[in-house]
Amino acid sequence: MSERFASPADLEACRRAIRGGSKSFYAASLLLPSGVRADAYALYGFCRRADDAVDDGRNPGAACIDLSRRLDAIYAGRPGPDPVDRAFADLVEARAIPRALPGALIEGFVWDAQGRRFDTIGDVRAYGARVAGTVGVMMTLVMGVRDPHALARASDLGVAMQLTNIARDVGEDARAGRLYLPRQWMEEAGLDPDAFLAAPCFSPQLAQVIARVLDEADRLYERARPGVALLPSGCRAAIHAASRIYRDIGGQIRRAGFDSVTRRAATSKRRKLALAAAGLLDAAGAGRQDAGGPLAETRFLVQAVPPAPPRAPDLAWWRLGEHWGRMFEILHALEQREQAALRQSMASRQRRG
């Protein structure tokens, strides 16, 4: 690896970003091994700073263009002066994170800047794939895992968490002029999405829609669960804890009658500690059967990650593994030719004798 860009102060800035920006993720991250934890802070620091630049800026479109330029500089080995850019530049080199992943994250922010409509639950999952599934996949790479099954389950978990966010922030988003609930589901419940945006208020019909979103989140939390067994043993408790803490937000919304317009669900510190402890027990349990391939909306994330070669000598012998089957075909053909030549030589000798 080339000389590192980030200083200890840069990494501390990333840690502060996650501690202030997401107490749930920060609580779960404390269960990670120290080396992985530092990389997780670098990943989250960049994602948090990027999200804030779009949400808090006066011109979200211009912020997205600037983020794309910053990402170009990071992948060119010339990160800008922001501490999280320097830390992220080290991370993408050390963990071989394809540019397509943070690029998809920025695409999700562009959708926000454009005021994109989400008509179906598939549209919402596609959005979640970009703004959260990307983070799940990159976090899996941070833990040193590139197995497609693990990446598929990580993207499931990211989308599940984003659906939880959407269910929790319905009122807050609507008052900011944003709507992430599937419009089709709102219309099926007898709600006019545009009228709701103009005057956000809670109703039994809205409760039905939020319940459906949380049901979909629960389905994806269950799909994601088997993938944790594919992670390094020292990392599993943190991921189980993050899943439990986030899923518990959905449980609180249910207990509040699905009213996330007049109130916002939150998890106490004591509750987070209890859920983190449960994550430790989850990590000690047996793995479950894999849930299959990725969602249609997250497949592009899994396909963006090539399998990592092992460390190899200068002759790059590992490249032979990419063509191992072809090698045997060639060797077999050469053997057949040698045997044919030997038979021809023996026949020639018999004729001369």
Side-chain angles (χ1 to χ4, degrees), residues 2-352:
S2 62
E3 183 179 354
R4 295 181 69 88
F5 298 106
S7 68
D10 294 337
L11 298 177
E12 174 60 19
C14 293
R15 188 192 69 83
R16 289 197 303 269
I18 185 173
R19 187 173 186 177
S22 176
K23 293 180 174 59
S24 295
F25 279 118
Y26 184 72
S29 74
L30 297 177
L31 297 176
L32 288 169
S34 58
V36 175
R37 191 187 316 144
D39 283 351
Y41 291 164
L43 170 61
Y44 185 89
F46 179 80
C47 295
R48 178 78 262 169
R49 190 64 57 84
D51 190 25
D52 290 346
V54 175
D55 278 353
D56 301 339
R58 295 181 179 180
N59 190 334
C64 290
I65 293 172
D66 181 62
L67 281 173
S68 186
R69 289 172 179 164
R70 285 169 58 184
L71 200 58
D72 286 340
I74 286 169
Y75 275 84
R78 298 188 300 273
D82 194 311
V84 301
D85 286 22
R86 292 194 291 266
F88 193 58
D90 285 340
L91 181 64
V92 299
E93 182 180 349
R95 300 297 185 177
I97 296 176
R99 191 193 186 285
L101 298 179
L105 174 70
I106 294 175
E107 183 184 21
F109 297 154
V110 170
W111 287 10
D112 277 329
Q114 294 172 337
R116 194 180 184 96
R117 286 171 56 105
F118 302 102
D119 292 327
T120 68
I121 188 60
D123 295 337
V124 179
R125 285 195 299 259
Y127 172 72
R130 285 158 175 80
V131 298
T134 51
V135 181
V137 171
M138 287 190 283
M139 187 64 205
T140 306
L141 301 184
V142 164
M143 291 183 282
V145 177
R146 305 176 83 87
D147 178 84
H149 296 289
L151 299 176
R153 302 291 72 81
S155 59
D156 287 341
L157 181 56
V159 176
M161 289 177 167
Q162 185 60 31
L163 291 176
T164 301
N165 278 340
I166 288 170
R168 180 193 62 193
D169 298 338
V170 172
E172 181 180 327
D173 286 335
R175 287 186 286 273
R178 296 189 293 260
L179 180 63
Y180 297 102
L181 298 175
R183 286 173 174 261
Q184 182 184 74
W185 286 4
M186 295 184 75
E187 291 167 357
E188 288 173 2
L191 292 171
D192 182 331
D194 295 321
F196 172 76
L197 270 175
C201 62
F202 180 68
S203 67
Q205 293 81 8
L206 186 67
Q208 295 175 30
V209 179
I210 295 173
R212 292 182 72 177
V213 171
L214 289 175
D215 286 346
E216 176 66 4
D218 283 343
R219 182 181 77 88
L220 295 180
Y221 282 119
E222 288 301 312
R223 273 178 58 96
R225 191 175 176 83
V228 184
L230 301 175
L231 302 175
S233 57
C235 298
R236 295 172 193 166
I239 304 308
H240 278 304
S243 178
R244 278 183 170 272
I245 290 170
Y246 244 77
R247 194 170 185 175
D248 187 65
I249 294 171
Q252 292 186 53
I253 296 170
R254 292 180 188 277
R255 290 189 289 274
F258 303 101
D259 181 3
S260 52
V261 176
T262 65
R263 63 184 73 188
R264 189 178 192 269
T267 304
S268 68
K269 184 178 292 186
R270 176 178 291 184
R271 179 69 175 166
K272 285 189 178 78
L273 289 173
L275 293 168
L280 287 169
L281 296 176
D282 289 339
R288 299 188 181 186
Q289 186 176 0
D290 188 69
L295 298 169
E297 295 85 3
T298 62
R299 185 174 293 113
F300 77 103
L301 299 176
V302 178
Q303 293 174 341
V305 180
R311 297 188 180 276
D314 292 341
L315 292 178
W317 57 266
W318 54 267
R319 294 185 187 278
L320 298 176
E322 299 174 1
H323 310 286
W324 200 250
R326 180 59 179 158
M327 254 184 58
F328 277 106
E329 292 176 11
I330 293 171
L331 290 173
H332 181 68
L334 289 173
E335 184 181 7
Q336 292 291 328
R337 290 181 185 178
E338 288 179 2
Q339 290 178 355
L342 179 60
R343 288 194 298 269
Q344 184 176 2
S345 176
M346 291 177 63
S348 177
R349 288 177 185 176
Q350 290 174 354
R351 286 195 298 271
R352 286 199 301 269

